[in-house]
Amino acid sequence: MKLSRPVSWFLLVFGVWSWVIWVTFIKNLWQDAGGLAFDAAGDPTAYFWVHLLLAITSFLLGTVIGAIGLRGLRALRHDHETAANHENHG
């Protein structure tokens, strides 16, 4: 199956966006001063663990989705170069 150029770019951008958003979220979660992520003793709360799991899942999915987009773009470039070589030698 071949992906179109717009779909490949969308997937790649989605993967990068996932990393940017969730890295920022984890930084904010780690520095939480509102008492949601850590209790009074400084121990992580259930809120912290749930959101850390969500972030890890999003990192993994973003990486896989971005890699699919990158592979799609590379395949399109390879097809374009192959077609150009056939035109020049054909």
Side-chain angles (χ1 to χ4, degrees):
M1 177 176 138
K2 290 187 181 182
L3 300 174
S4 68
R5 186 172 311 279
V7 169
S8 295
W9 273 110
F10 175 79
L11 295 175
L12 180 59
V13 169
F14 179 86
V16 171
W17 176 83
S18 293
W19 271 87
V20 170
I21 292 300
W22 285 100
V23 165
T24 302
F25 182 82
I26 290 299
K27 285 180 184 177
N28 292 336
L29 182 67
W30 198 262
Q31 299 169 355
D32 176 48
L36 289 174
F38 299 97
D39 62 17
D43 295 324
T45 63
Y47 178 90
F48 174 85
W49 293 114
V50 166
H51 286 84
L52 182 63
L53 181 62
L54 286 171
I56 291 169
T57 302
S58 293
F59 289 146
L60 294 173
L61 290 173
T63 300
V64 170
I65 290 169
I68 291 169
L70 184 60
R71 287 184 66 177
L73 289 172
R74 286 182 176 170
L76 289 167
R77 185 178 66 196
H78 175 73
D79 290 348
H80 178 73
E81 289 171 358
T82 302
N85 284 338
H86 284 304
E87 288 177 7
N88 292 337
H89 298 292

